Amino acid sequence: MDWINILSNWAIPVMIAFIPLYASFKKVPVYESFVDGAKDGFSTAIGIIPHLVGMMVAISVFRASGALEFFTGWLSPLLARLSVPSEVLPLGILRPLTGTGSLAFTTDLIKTYGPDSMIGRIASTIQGSTDTTLYVLTVYFGAVGIRNGRYALKVGLFSDIVGFIAAIAVCLLLFG
């Protein structure tokens, strides 16, 4: 295991040193290329700001309106029959919307129930098995100007549902 730690500690510094050296060897103008890339990155960041603001407003309205609590209350009886802790349901709803919000929710669950509790294990597994689909679509599609992402949205949300269910099933199978 020591070699993994050594590799981890040195991987990024070696890459940071290697890339400009290799570019210089290939006669690539390193600094000019960096400045051009930074200009492109800045314009990309400015271009996605409206998309990010729209998504953040939608998430805030979703939470403030009580829709999250409504869905949680509506699905809790079904989850109870399946022996799934209802405390993880809001995470399944939040995760496709917001990475920071779902991480904060997971942190609260772990603080409340503990990391080795079934709820803590399921929440952690959900975090690793699902993605922030709407954020990804907003940022990446907004950055490149894609306006019609309905198929990507369907596939992304479907994969989040599958990841959510699989995370619960695996935890219940392994730890239940």
Side-chain angles (χ1 to χ4, degrees):
M1 282 297 186
D2 286 338
W3 67 272
I4 292 176
N5 289 331
I6 293 169
L7 181 65
S8 296
N9 290 334
W10 282 98
I12 292 178
V14 167
M15 285 179 53
I16 289 173
F18 174 75
I19 291 171
L21 289 173
Y22 182 75
S24 295
F25 176 74
K26 289 290 194 174
K27 309 266 191 268
V28 173
V30 177
Y31 183 74
E32 292 80 6
S33 298
F34 174 78
V35 170
D36 288 341
K39 285 179 190 175
D40 292 344
F42 185 73
S43 63
T44 300
I46 296 296
I48 65 172
I49 286 174
H51 302 284
L52 288 172
V53 169
M55 185 189 68
M56 293 302 193
V57 168
I59 291 167
S60 297
V61 168
F62 179 72
R63 293 182 81 182
S65 69
L68 180 63
E69 288 79 18
F70 171 76
F71 285 121
T72 303
W74 185 62
L75 292 173
S76 289
L78 173 65
L79 293 177
R81 285 189 215 143
L82 299 172
S83 301
V84 175
S86 62
E87 292 85 355
V88 298
L89 182 60
L91 181 58
I93 297 170
L94 282 176
R95 182 71 175 145
L97 300 173
T98 169
T100 305
S102 65
L103 184 58
F105 190 80
T106 299
T107 302
D108 288 342
L109 287 176
I110 290 172
K111 282 182 184 176
T112 303
Y113 299 100
D116 292 329
S117 68
M118 182 59 76
I119 292 171
R121 289 175 174 168
I122 290 174
S124 298
T125 308
I126 289 170
Q127 280 289 113
S129 302
T130 58
D131 201 359
T132 53
T133 300
L134 296 177
Y135 176 81
V136 168
L137 292 178
T138 299
V139 172
Y140 297 129
F141 281 26
V144 296
I146 295 174
R147 299 278 181 232
N148 188 0
R150 70 176 184 259
Y151 296 116
L153 178 64
K154 289 176 187 175
V155 169
L157 291 177
F158 179 73
S159 66
D160 285 333
I161 291 168
V162 170
F164 180 75
I165 293 169
I168 293 169
V170 166
C171 285
L172 290 175
L173 183 68
L174 292 177
F175 304 114

